Amino acid sequence: MIQLLDISKTYGAVQALKQAHMTVAPGRITALLGSNGSGKSTLIKILAGLVSPNTGQVLLDGQEVFIRSGNDAKALGIATAFQDLSLVPMMTVEENLLLGDEPTRLAGMLDQGSIRQTVASLLERFSLKCQPQDFVQTLPPSTQYMLEIAKAVHRRPRVLLLDEATAALHQDEIDVLFKILRQLRNEGVAIVFVTHRMHEVFELCDEAVILRSGETVKSGPVSDFSLDDLVYYMTGQRMQEAAAYEGLTHKAGQAPLLTARAISLPPRVKDITLEAYAGEIVGIGGLEGQGQSDFMRALLGASQIFSGQIHFDVAKAQFKQPADAIKAGIGFISGERNREAMFADRTIAENIFAGNTAKGRRFTFLKKSAVNRFANQAVDTYQIKVGRIQDAASTLSGGNQQKLVIARWIAMQPKLLLLDDPTKGVDIHSRLEIHQILRQCADDGMAVIISASDTDELMDIADRIYVFYEGMVSGMLEGENKTHEHLVACMMGVCHIQPERQEGGA
Amino acid sequence: MTLKDTAGKLPRMDFKLLWMRFTKSPAAVAYALSALLFALTIIINPKGFNNNFIGSLILLTVLLAISSAGQTIVLIGGGLDFSGGAVMSAAAIFTSFTMDSKDGLFLQVLVMCLAMGAVVGFLNGFFVVKIGLPAMIVTMAVSNIVSRLQYVLTAGSPAGWAGPAFINSVIHRFFDVIPSIVLYAAVFFPIVFWLLQRSRFGKQVYLVGNNKQAAYLTGVKVNWVIIATYVISGMMSAFAGILGAGYKATARVDIFSEYAFTSLVAVIVGGTTFSGGVGTYGGTIAGALLMTVLSNLLTTLGLPQTMRDILNGLIIILLLMMYNRSKAVRQ
């Protein structure tokens, strides 16, 4: 029996957990539920020894324990299958499965016979068709996730943590996994199961713990909850039985600026059809990893679609690389600021000017004053708080960094602006400012497509919302259809809203 | 931070602030260290302090600065080019071989050498970008090929002589002090400055070096830019090789091979980081001066060549340690 009591954890200004509590009993499968950013992963990481809580206690069989490292967790019999995998891509299946746990003989010699036997039986148990000598990076994502779980199970843990283990798995693999998990439960293992798929909760789990904004709002046996209850506790909103409404074609007569038809891009994007008109803000909703990012990158030409058609500005668009899409009048803002948008070592001026830097003749003379004027104008227009524009961009706060990136693109006046979860980790004030800027742009005739993991944000800003679920559009919400309840229902994949659009209209 | 607040109003003498600014500018540190080592050299050997000493110091500094220009650009773009020394040597051999003590062939030599440098640079860039091999391995391998090709051309013996007028255009001393190579520098330095600081291409190089993925998603043709940095680097090394032939009058195989390493150190000491995206050519020139002064000092000490090399290596490690420490911390 593991108990977490009054656990709080802050990352900088963000409070990830607020006196959260959870009890995990042996021989039970406990579902840990909550929407994005509710603190599930943080709770898992505390148990795995990757994160130390600011306050609170962890009790193991009534005794307080301190899990300060992965080794501590291992010593206590806690094993974790991580959402972002703990496999070494360049090592083989065999090496990964037994990493740090290799059977040895005299003088630390590896016991090859025992290794081969153990790995073979593990692979068979998980119905994995890969060879022990395959390199992990060559395997499909779903197999890698199964290996991650197999690796955790092999440790014979007392407590097994699975953080969104099924997100990347196929149905047959899920069946195998569930069989194994039930078996482990019957052997007395305590299992924590994080998932976004509600039906799995009812199919597999015995207990449920629900987090919202870092607090434990409800816990108890799964049999005490209905689907409606679960969604209510997770989101704070009652879900309505939604029937498919007739959609409104308020843009009839106008040709869409962007048409994406039946786009597929394995493994995440399966079949996406979407339209965007000049002057509107189109929202893309969905739980994390339902293909939103991949779809946006496909529009930008950063990855090539497998099948489907994209029309942009009446012409058929086949962008080989982002440079082509940007030349055609598309802008892209990533929420992964540090990795994909910021030039942290360069000055604020250079960061704002970057969109311009990328475009146009390379070997022309750029006046320093012109660059600075461009930057100063953007700083004034978008009220980015800066010391001096010659300071490094890394001196700015997160919200201002994001405004900087947005200013970079809006100053370029693209016809279509793509934003991939742009306000991730941005404070509420900056977020509102960004919304105002985007609305202004749309009013001026720009088409804006914005994906967001936050449902409130989508409701606030989007004219229409496409909800992605497992690589497909589970609903297109507009007009009176655009309600929080519909959005949540479509995100969970429990409802489908496809308005009947007049084909002649477009 | 007090640094930011008071930065605008300089007149107030704030020694601590000035010191902080000083240590934050690698070029300033390199110049200061150069002055220190220079003074040390003169103290050790006051008689050596004459016009010729100053003249050769300037000449060697300019030559190293020119040969380090390409490396600066490649490093800022996030790459590494070890083929500079071999390209320089090949260009030098080609120059003395083609000129063969005759004048009036400079333009022809220039065009041929730059083309050769561009081809070698393109191969470097192509293998780095398209095959995805580590820059160090690729440029080393290409460097070896270029070295071996020199043997094919010369069969290992010195090849011809540079034209007398051309030699004079490099080593002539104005007022008995200033070597005429500064005229080449007067053309070359502004070109590099424009290329890095005032052209769209240069800005793209900085963006690619700082954050390749962000540059790609911002619409920079990242592969094109990276290949271009190697091509430009090859051409600049070739140009340095031509001037090198003028300085040495004749050339033999691998005559400038040590420049591959020396130029890299000059660039790093001048404040360009290994991780890319940061650095200036002005810093590199300061670094070139420091490397030249250091080499002079070691010569003045009158140590045998082997001891000099050992000391040189140790001091370089010390310098690099100093510079590595001041690297900015990322968020």
Side-chain angles (χ1 to χ4, degrees):
Chain A
M1 169 95 69
I2 269 210
Q3 285 168 293
L4 292 105
L5 301 174
D6 289 337
I7 303 280
S8 295
K9 175 70 190 175
T10 55
Y11 296 108
V14 181
Q15 181 134 33
L17 288 174
K18 232 181 302 181
Q19 300 185 322
H21 54 89
M22 176 167 80
T23 303
V24 185
R28 306 285 278 175
I29 299 179
T30 305
L32 181 55
L33 305 172
S35 53
N36 293 322
S38 58
K40 303 181 301 279
S41 284
T42 306
L43 210 54
I44 293 288
K45 281 177 186 159
I46 286 172
L47 280 175
L50 299 182
V51 170
S52 301
N54 298 121
T55 58
Q57 284 183 307
V58 181
L59 304 182
L60 183 64
D61 296 333
Q63 288 260 301
E64 179 160 17
V65 290
F66 297 95
I67 312 172
R68 292 196 187 83
S69 68
N71 272 334
D72 289 352
K74 193 173 158 189
L76 294 171
I78 301 172
T80 315
F82 291 99
Q83 192 181 355
D84 34 14
L85 299 179
S86 63
L87 303 173
V88 186
M90 309 274 271
M91 288 170 81
T92 63
V93 168
E94 180 178 286
E95 288 164 329
N96 264 294
L97 283 175
L98 302 185
L99 192 62
D101 221 18
E102 296 88 348
T104 50
R105 288 187 302 195
L106 195 65
M109 292 255 290
L110 289 179
D111 186 348
Q112 292 296 351
S114 160
I115 287 178
R116 227 166 290 140
Q117 219 174 358
T118 316
V119 170
S121 71
L122 255 181
L123 291 182
E124 200 198 313
R125 187 172 176 197
F126 279 83
S127 301
L128 282 166
K129 283 168 203 76
C130 60
Q131 296 302 310
Q133 300 307 328
D134 286 346
F135 287 99
V136 162
Q137 61 179 0
T138 64
L139 300 172
S142 64
T143 310
Q144 294 190 19
Y145 275 90
M146 284 298 267
L147 285 173
E148 173 80 14
I149 299 164
K151 182 180 158 190
V153 169
H154 167 66
R155 301 276 147 93
R156 304 197 163 281
R158 301 170 56 189
V159 181
L160 177 63
L161 313 173
L162 301 166
D163 194 359
E164 290 195 39
T166 53
L169 297 185
H170 301 305
Q171 193 52 50
D172 51 337
E173 291 163 327
I174 291 175
D175 293 340
V176 172
L177 175 65
F178 281 10
K179 210 178 97 195
I180 294 169
L181 291 181
R182 289 195 186 99
Q183 213 174 334
L184 290 171
R185 170 182 60 190
N186 297 340
E187 288 166 15
V189 178
I191 298 172
V192 180
F193 189 77
V194 178
T195 185
H196 278 307
R197 295 178 178 165
M198 293 304 118
H199 62 89
E200 289 178 354
V201 176
F202 293 102
E203 190 183 334
L204 179 74
C205 301
D206 309 305
E207 306 275 339
V209 174
I210 304 169
L211 296 181
R212 188 166 80 221
S213 308
E215 288 176 279
T216 306
V217 288
K218 194 78 185 168
S219 55
V222 168
S223 51
D224 287 0
F225 296 99
S226 67
L227 174 64
D228 194 31
D229 295 334
L230 288 183
V231 174
Y232 171 71
Y233 290 121
M234 282 167 68
T235 64
Q237 314 263 347
R238 278 284 164 197
M239 191 173 71
Q240 286 176 356
E241 275 307 311
Y245 288 96
E246 188 80 10
L248 300 171
T249 51
H250 66 281
K251 291 291 191 302
Q254 187 189 352
L257 179 71
L258 174 94
T259 316
R261 215 174 286 286
I263 304 298
S264 94
L265 175 68
R268 290 256 168 76
V269 179
K270 286 173 192 144
D271 180 10
I272 301 278
T273 296
L274 177 150
E275 287 177 344
Y277 294 84
E280 70 169 349
I281 298 180
V282 175
I284 295 182
L287 300 168
E288 240 167 78
Q290 307 297 312
Q292 302 98 314
S293 292
D294 308 66
F295 175 70
M296 287 221 171
R297 278 162 178 70
L299 291 183
L300 190 71
S303 43
Q304 299 302 314
I305 54 173
F306 182 69
S307 67
Q309 276 188 327
I310 301 172
H311 286 265
F312 177 67
D313 213 4
V314 296
K316 188 162 184 226
Q318 272 178 315
F319 302 125
K320 292 259 179 301
Q321 54 182 338
D324 300 336
I326 285 156
K327 206 172 167 194
I330 296 180
F332 174 72
I333 294 167
S334 169
E336 296 283 338
R337 259 194 317 280
N338 292 328
R339 219 156 43 78
E340 298 192 332
M342 291 291 294
F343 302 101
D345 293 338
R346 306 313 306 167
T347 66
I348 291 163
E350 282 173 293
N351 267 277
I352 294 175
F353 198 72
N356 197 315
T357 298
K359 229 174 166 179
R361 293 172 62 87
R362 286 192 188 85
F363 296 103
T364 47
F365 188 80
L366 283 181
K367 263 166 96 177
K368 195 174 184 181
S369 60
V371 175
N372 286 345
R373 200 177 324 121
F374 187 91
N376 273 321
Q377 216 167 2
V379 166
D380 289 344
T381 312
Y382 306 110
Q383 293 170 1
I384 305 160
K385 286 182 196 70
V386 296
R388 295 174 306 165
I389 58 169
Q390 296 304 332
D391 285 338
S394 55
T395 60
L396 295 176
S397 72
N400 278 318
Q401 287 188 7
Q402 195 61 23
K403 280 202 279 181
L404 185 80
V405 177
I406 287 174
R408 173 195 297 168
W409 279 110
I410 290 172
M412 297 297 291
Q413 288 296 318
K415 291 179 199 147
L416 170 67
L417 186 61
L418 307 171
L419 302 103
D420 186 12
D421 216 347
T423 57
K424 196 192 283 179
V426 170
D427 62 276
I428 184 73
H429 185 66
S430 300
R431 180 179 287 205
L432 287 176
E433 283 179 336
I434 289 170
H435 286 182
Q436 279 164 12
I437 295 170
L438 292 179
R439 180 50 70 190
Q440 183 62 45
C441 289
D443 289 345
D444 292 345
M446 199 184 284
V448 178
I449 301 183
I450 177 171
S451 90
S453 44
D454 187 312
T455 51
D456 292 331
E457 174 166 28
L458 278 180
M459 291 301 296
D460 286 349
I461 190 160
D463 293 315
R464 297 187 292 132
I465 303 173
Y466 288 86
V467 188
F468 284 24
Y469 182 74
E470 307 219 314
M472 291 188 270
V473 176
S474 65
M476 201 284 278
L477 315 175
E478 68 176 326
E480 61 189 49
N481 248 345
K482 202 188 98 183
T483 63
H484 215 288
E485 294 73 28
H486 285 160
L487 179 55
V488 170
C490 289
M491 281 170 77
M492 303 291 170
V494 291
C495 133
H496 290 268
I497 299 170
Q498 290 293 357
E500 304 293 320
R501 278 186 156 249
Q502 266 98 45
E503 277 301 313
Chain B
M1 284 295 291
T2 49
L3 181 67
K4 212 191 291 175
D5 297 337
T6 50
K9 337 156 188 157
L10 195 66
R12 247 185 57 205
M13 272 303 284
D14 190 338
F15 184 75
K16 211 172 158 190
L17 173 66
L18 283 177
W19 175 249
M20 271 179 78
R21 280 189 150 194
F22 170 73
T23 51
K24 277 204 166 174
S25 162
V29 174
Y31 280 125
L33 279 175
S34 302
L36 199 76
L37 296 185
F38 186 72
L40 202 61
T41 313
I42 294 166
I43 292 166
I44 291 169
N45 182 14
K47 277 185 224 156
F49 182 56
N50 53 33
N51 281 349
N52 190 41
F53 177 74
I54 304 287
S56 88
L57 183 70
I58 296 175
L59 200 159
L60 286 171
T61 300
V62 169
L63 189 61
L64 181 56
I66 290 176
S67 71
S68 309
Q71 185 72 273
T72 308
I73 296 174
V74 170
L75 224 58
I76 289 173
L80 185 66
D81 188 356
F82 257 125
S83 67
V87 171
M88 234 180 125
S89 306
I93 285 175
F94 192 82
T95 305
S96 55
F97 185 82
T98 309
M99 286 186 170
D100 201 16
S101 305
K102 290 190 292 287
D103 283 325
L105 290 163
F106 179 73
L107 218 60
Q108 189 184 334
V109 164
L110 183 71
V111 170
M112 296 297 288
C113 285
L114 290 188
M116 181 271 295
V119 169
V120 174
F122 180 79
L123 289 177
N124 280 331
F126 183 82
F127 286 127
V128 167
V129 166
K130 296 288 176 188
I131 322 279
L133 296 167
M136 192 186 312
I137 308 294
V138 170
T139 56
M140 283 265 204
V142 169
S143 166
N144 273 336
I145 296 170
V146 175
S147 283
R148 294 307 114 179
L149 284 178
Q150 296 167 30
Y151 281 100
V152 177
L153 192 66
T154 64
S157 50
W161 295 84
F166 172 60
I167 294 176
N168 201 38
S169 77
V170 175
I171 64 167
H172 175 78
R173 302 290 161 93
F174 300 117
F175 317 112
D176 277 342
V177 186
I178 300 164
S180 48
I181 196 173
V182 296
L183 294 180
Y184 291 98
V187 178
F188 185 83
F189 287 4
I191 289 178
V192 180
F193 177 78
W194 163 75
L195 205 56
L196 265 178
Q197 313 292 336
R198 291 288 181 273
S199 80
R200 182 169 269 119
F201 169 75
K203 301 236 169 251
Q204 291 186 355
V205 172
Y206 279 102
L207 297 190
V208 169
N210 189 190
N211 189 341
K212 204 164 138 186
Q213 178 70 0
Y216 175 69
L217 292 172
T218 308
V220 177
K221 292 186 174 168
V222 172
N223 289 350
W224 192 98
V225 170
I226 292 176
I227 292 175
T229 59
Y230 284 98
V231 169
I232 290 171
S233 173
M235 290 168 72
M236 286 177 168
S237 295
F239 182 67
I242 299 173
L243 297 185
Y247 164 60
K248 299 257 185 187
T250 184
R252 54 181 167 73
V253 169
D254 282 346
I255 183 169
F256 292 119
S257 59
E258 84 272 18
Y259 271 73
F261 184 66
T262 317
S263 71
L264 179 64
V265 179
V267 172
I268 298 291
V269 167
T272 302
T273 60
F274 262 116
S275 49
V278 175
T280 59
Y281 188 50
T284 297
I285 296 172
L289 176 66
L290 178 54
M291 294 312 290
T292 311
V293 172
L294 173 64
S295 148
N296 270 348
L297 172 64
L298 293 176
T299 312
T300 308
L301 287 175
L303 297 168
Q305 182 68 40
T306 41
M307 269 318 282
R308 256 193 281 163
D309 287 346
I310 291 170
L311 258 181
N312 195 34
L314 289 175
I315 293 173
I316 285 171
I317 290 175
L318 213 69
L319 280 174
L320 292 179
M321 270 165 61
M322 258 173 59
Y323 278 92
N324 214 30
R325 226 169 35 133
S326 67
K327 217 186 111 185
V329 185
R330 242 171 233 254
Q331 283 192 304

